[in-house]
């Protein structure tokens, strides 16, 4: 069974690798928006130095990390939820549920392949280009890169779990686009895509930093910027892993309820 899911993951990687023009367009788009956000941040940090505890180099690094992770961690969409919602809407999902493979693990594997490709295809190039043009902070230790990649992997898992739950809502709402829009806005705002969550004032900032979306950008960015050390880094990983476990469990419960609904209706 493990071999099956590895094949699904490899298939997910190859599937997205075939769309080379789309990848090139994505790299171009991310780079352009990286420039726009960089100059916006430069103006903001010139007026408010050390805003949110970040210096100018940190702020610019944050911009390009966000552009690198926008598709890897599904900040504005998981990349699979529309397809899954469509299968639920048309009833094709019944075939998937009766297969001798777990639905959640199947889609997780496919999304793993997608995320891996997006990291290489749309993550590395914009960030490398940004590093050539802007003087942003780089990790002082090579181990930080490994710590960062682990945080990105955990953030991608949390992202999958969120978007899987969003897709599962279509079993009861028939059209999941409303939930998709709410999740999209949540990811845009509470992941730190617009501004680092440390900039958010008072209770809003406290709440934002405890929500699962913080796992997708804010935590990986802070790991990259070496704002966590020792047990602090372990707690950051535990925060991400905790949300991953809770959300994946919720997705499994939703899947079980959906399966019972399909069986009852089919019977």
């Amino acid at each position: 069974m493990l071999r099956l899911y590895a094949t699904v993951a490899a298939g997910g990687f190859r599937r997205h690798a075939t769309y080379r023009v789309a990848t090139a367009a994505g790299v171009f788009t991310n780079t352009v928006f990286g420039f726009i956000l960089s100059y916006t941040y430069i103006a903001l940090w010139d007026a408010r130095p050390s805003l949110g505890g970040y210096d100018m180099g940190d702020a610019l690094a944050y911009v390009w990390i966000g552009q690198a992770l926008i598709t890897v961690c599904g900040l504005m969409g998981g990349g699979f939820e529309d397809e899954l919602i469509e299968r639920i809407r048309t009833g094709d999902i019944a075939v998937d549920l009766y297969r001798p493979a777990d639905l959640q693990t199947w889609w997780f594997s496919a999304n793993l392949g997608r995320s891996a490709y997006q990291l290489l295809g749309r993550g590395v190039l914009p960030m490398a280009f940004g590093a050539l043009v802007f003087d942003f902070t780089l990790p002082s230790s090579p181990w930080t890169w490994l710590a960062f990649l682990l945080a990105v992997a955990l953030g991608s898992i949390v992202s999958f779990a969120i978007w899987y739950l969003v897709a599962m809502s279509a079993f009861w709402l028939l059209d999941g686009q409303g939930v998709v829009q709410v999740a999209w806005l949540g990811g845009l705002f509470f992941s730190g895509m617009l501004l680092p969550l440390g900039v958010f004032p008072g209770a809003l900032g406290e709440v934002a930093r405890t929500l699962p979306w913080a796992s997708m950008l804010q935590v990986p960015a802070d790991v990259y910027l070496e704002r966590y050390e020792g047990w602090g880094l372990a707690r950051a990983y535990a925060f991400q892993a905790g949300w991953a476990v809770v959300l994946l469990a919720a997705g499994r419960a939703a899947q079980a309820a959906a399966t019972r609904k399909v069986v009852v209706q089919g019977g």
Side-chain angles (χ1 to χ4, degrees):
M1 190 62 71
L2 183 61
R3 184 177 179 181
L4 169 63
Y5 296 128
T7 302
V8 173
F13 187 98
R14 289 194 302 270
R15 175 184 179 185
H16 287 83
T18 59
Y19 300 106
R20 297 176 184 176
V21 175
T23 299
V27 169
F28 176 78
T29 302
N30 288 3
T31 303
V32 169
F33 274 98
F35 270 83
I36 294 171
L37 287 172
S38 291
Y39 286 116
T40 303
Y41 272 45
I42 287 171
L44 180 58
W45 259 259
D46 275 340
R48 297 283 302 276
S50 300
L51 181 64
Y54 298 92
D55 61 25
M56 182 70 78
D58 293 344
L60 289 172
Y62 189 95
V63 167
W64 290 98
I65 292 168
Q67 293 306 303
L69 300 186
I70 191 170
T71 53
V72 177
C73 290
L75 302 180
M76 300 176 68
F80 69 91
E81 67 282 351
D82 288 338
E83 182 180 351
L84 182 51
I85 287 172
E86 180 63 16
R87 292 190 68 79
I88 294 170
R89 190 187 66 80
T90 60
D92 291 340
I93 194 69
V95 177
D96 301 337
L97 289 171
Y98 281 112
R99 286 174 180 164
D102 180 68
L103 183 70
Q104 187 184 54
T105 309
W106 178 284
W107 285 98
F108 175 83
S109 301
N111 188 67
L112 179 64
R114 181 201 64 83
S115 294
Y117 175 75
Q118 297 293 359
L119 179 63
L120 297 175
R122 291 184 59 176
V124 174
L125 289 178
M127 194 168 178
F129 194 79
L132 291 174
V133 178
F134 297 95
D135 184 20
F136 67 65
T137 303
L138 295 173
S140 61
S141 168
W143 293 108
T144 302
W145 287 104
L146 295 177
F148 171 63
L149 288 175
L150 178 55
V152 170
L154 290 170
S156 179
I157 294 172
V158 173
S159 170
F160 165 79
I162 290 174
W163 289 108
Y164 187 77
L165 272 172
V166 168
M168 286 291 103
S169 70
F171 272 105
W172 293 272
L173 301 177
L174 300 182
D175 183 359
Q177 291 307 309
V179 181
V180 168
Q181 291 299 317
V182 171
W184 182 86
L185 289 172
L188 183 66
F189 190 76
F190 289 114
S191 68
M193 185 69 186
L194 298 179
L195 281 171
L197 300 183
V199 175
F200 289 14
L204 177 61
E206 293 295 329
V207 171
R209 288 189 290 272
T210 62
L211 294 175
W213 289 285
S215 299
M216 296 156 58
L217 173 55
Q218 185 65 59
V219 172
D222 283 341
V223 170
Y224 172 95
L225 294 170
E226 299 174 330
R227 292 168 69 91
Y228 297 115
E229 295 181 357
W231 285 109
L233 180 59
R235 285 193 294 271
Y237 288 149
F239 172 79
Q240 292 179 291
W243 270 118
V245 169
V246 169
L247 293 169
L248 287 172
R252 178 138 330 255
Q255 177 181 315
T259 302
R260 289 194 296 272
K261 181 179 181 181
V262 170
V263 170
V264 169
Q265 290 179 346

